Amino acid sequence: MEDLSVGELGRQVTALRQEVQAMAQGINSRLDKVVSTEVYTLQSAYTDQRITALSQEVQKVRDARDALEDAFETYQRDQHDRRERERQARLYQMIVPVLMGLLAAAISVWAVVTK
C-alpha cells in the first residue's frame, strides 16, 4: 500500500464526508415519510371505528332492502289475490244471471208442458 499525501488524504476524507452526508440526507428524507407510532395507532383506531360504522350501515341497508323485498312480495301476493277475487266475482256475476235465465226458461217450459 502506498503512502498517501496529505492533500490526497484530505480529498478522500472530503469525498467520504460527502458520501456520508448524502446517505444521511437519504435517511432523513425517508424518516420524514415515516409515521410516528402514536399517529399510526390513532389512524388504525379511526380506521377500525370507521370500518365498524360502515359495516353497521351496510347491515342496516341490507335489513332495509330485505324488508322492502318482503313488503314487495306481500304486495304482489295481495294484488294477485285481489285480481283472482275480482275475476271470480266477474265470473259469478256472469253465471248467476245466465243460471237465473235458464231457471226461468225451465220453469216456463215446465209450466207450458204441465198445462
Side-chain angles (χ1 to χ4, degrees):
M1 188 176 205
E2 64 185 69
D3 291 333
L4 298 176
S5 68
V6 174
E8 184 63 30
L9 189 59
R11 284 190 289 277
Q12 287 184 359
V13 167
T14 302
L16 184 61
R17 192 176 284 160
Q18 287 174 348
E19 286 180 33
V20 168
Q21 285 177 349
M23 287 174 43
Q25 286 175 351
I27 290 172
N28 285 335
S29 68
R30 286 185 181 172
L31 287 177
D32 288 342
K33 296 176 186 175
V34 173
V35 177
S36 70
T37 305
E38 293 83 17
V39 171
Y40 177 78
T41 302
L42 289 173
Q43 284 179 333
S44 295
Y46 174 77
T47 302
D48 291 344
Q49 290 173 351
R50 188 68 183 134
I51 287 172
T52 301
L54 289 173
S55 295
Q56 291 171 348
E57 288 178 28
V58 166
Q59 188 59 46
K60 287 178 186 176
V61 168
R62 283 181 182 157
D63 293 343
R65 185 202 63 213
D66 291 344
L68 183 61
E69 285 178 354
D70 292 344
F72 183 66
E73 288 175 7
T74 301
Y75 171 78
Q76 284 181 322
R77 271 195 311 272
D78 292 346
Q79 288 300 314
H80 179 265
D81 294 344
R82 182 188 58 80
R83 284 192 301 272
E84 184 62 26
R85 285 191 307 273
E86 288 176 357
R87 185 186 68 76
Q88 288 177 357
R90 283 192 305 270
L91 183 64
Y92 292 142
Q93 289 171 355
M94 287 178 16
I95 290 176
V96 169
V98 169
L99 289 177
M100 294 298 284
L102 287 174
L103 183 61
I107 291 173
S108 298
V109 168
W110 181 67
V112 169
V113 171
T114 59
K115 269 189 175 182

